[in-house]
Amino acid sequence: MDITMGLLLILIGIIAGGYGTIVGAGGGFILVPALLLIFQLDPAVAAASGLVTVLINSLSGVFGYAKQEKIQYRTGLTIGIGAFPGSILGVMLLQLYASSSFTVILASLLVGLGLFLFWKNSSFLKKKAHVPVHERDSISEQYAAEAAIAAVPERTAVAPKSVFLVPLGFLMGILSSYLGIGGGWLLVPVLIYVFKVPTHNATATSIFSLTLYSAVGVVSQLFYGQIDWSIVLFGGIGVIIGSQLGVYLSKLLPGKVVIQMLSVLLVAIGIRMYFG
């Protein structure tokens, strides 16, 4: 790989690592399509090399979020334990049964969920625009309270019950392997809206879980020998820089903005699934 393409890959890695770390989904959803479209890699090589780079991305992100005390370790570990067998089953199902109708249905759900999350988290701004001036102070106080909740450290945030997290991890592992995309796009909204985990804790915990089950995938890929290490080198440099930027920016972004960024990701993944 020449230096120009290497620098381009570093730039792509910075963007992928930053965005992926903020929303808790990893950077594979940006990196792998770039490897296919710009670098013209074989799909198997792009997936394998992208997975290693995603692991580097998530490890770097975990290091940053750990210093902020945002990760719910027990929650992430429990989800990871459930995701391990789910990932294996997902690969088996993919070999036995691949349904285009299932992909279309899931893509529609993703687009719908993304649009719903964006609308739901934009409603506050719409309401504020119509609120009388004398009432805006109370809304500002409410907004500050929500931001304070998002800043709750891992040691004081209430963790979901483990009995529900193992099945969630199992389902996430199946979908992640079957569809060939990371599981953060599913995990983060579920943690936020079902288990009531603060947004910033949910994204940090998702990155931690991604580290666990992506490591299993990397070990498997090592046996197939389809990893392009030059891609991993330049992409890895980019995602390390990007993930640290993402960790820093996440402190400055309100939870609503993070969810809106996630909603854009959901719509993008859904549209991509429509077109294979």
Side-chain angles (χ1 to χ4, degrees):
M1 179 182 297
D2 60 58
I3 189 64
T4 302
M5 297 303 288
L7 292 174
L8 176 60
L9 184 54
I10 290 176
L11 177 60
I12 295 172
I14 292 174
I15 297 172
Y19 198 105
T21 301
I22 290 173
V23 302
F29 63 93
I30 294 176
L31 183 63
V32 173
L35 294 178
L36 293 171
L37 298 175
I38 299 175
F39 294 87
Q40 300 293 311
L41 289 186
D42 177 80
V45 176
S49 306
L51 186 60
V52 180
T53 309
V54 166
L55 176 59
I56 296 172
N57 182 178
S58 57
L59 284 170
S60 178
V62 164
F63 178 76
Y65 280 132
K67 292 192 295 184
Q68 296 182 9
E69 298 184 314
K70 295 295 185 184
I71 302 172
Q72 294 186 348
Y73 291 100
R74 180 178 296 179
T75 298
L77 183 60
T78 305
I79 292 171
I81 291 173
F84 290 157
S87 299
I88 297 173
L89 180 58
V91 173
M92 295 173 59
L93 290 174
L94 183 61
Q95 303 301 317
L96 297 174
Y97 178 75
S99 170
S100 58
S101 59
F102 172 78
T103 302
V104 170
I105 292 173
L106 184 58
S108 302
L109 291 174
L110 288 178
V111 172
L113 177 60
L115 294 175
F116 169 76
L117 289 178
F118 191 88
W119 171 80
K120 182 176 178 63
N121 290 277
S122 298
S123 60
F124 172 78
L125 298 177
K126 294 176 182 178
K127 290 179 181 178
K128 184 173 181 179
H130 296 86
V131 171
V133 176
H134 67 277
E135 296 182 8
R136 290 184 182 175
D137 288 341
S138 61
I139 292 183
S140 298
E141 292 174 359
Q142 178 183 357
Y143 185 76
E146 292 178 355
I149 292 174
V152 174
E154 179 272 334
R155 63 176 179 269
T156 58
V158 178
K161 294 184 178 180
S162 299
V163 67
F164 301 112
L165 295 176
V166 173
L168 172 62
F170 185 72
L171 174 62
M172 188 183 67
I174 293 175
L175 292 176
S176 179
S177 295
Y178 188 85
L179 299 172
I181 55 180
W185 55 271
L186 170 66
L187 179 58
V188 173
V190 171
L191 288 178
I192 293 172
Y193 289 101
V194 177
F195 295 103
K196 308 302 180 184
V197 176
T199 301
H200 292 83
N201 294 85
T203 54
T205 303
S206 175
I207 289 292
F208 175 65
S209 297
L210 178 62
T211 301
L212 300 177
Y213 58 82
S214 63
V216 176
V218 167
V219 171
S220 301
Q221 289 292 352
L222 289 173
F223 287 101
Y224 290 103
Q226 296 177 320
I227 300 172
D228 186 328
W229 292 105
S230 64
I231 295 291
V232 173
L233 173 62
F234 288 103
I237 293 173
V239 296
I240 289 174
I241 298 171
S243 62
Q244 293 307 307
L245 288 173
V247 169
Y248 174 75
L249 291 174
S250 70
K251 296 190 301 182
L252 308 178
L253 296 174
K256 289 181 179 292
V257 175
V258 174
I259 297 176
Q260 286 177 336
M261 293 177 67
L262 177 62
S263 70
V264 173
L265 169 61
L266 291 173
V267 173
I269 292 176
I271 293 174
R272 180 187 171 196
M273 290 174 63
Y274 277 129
F275 297 97

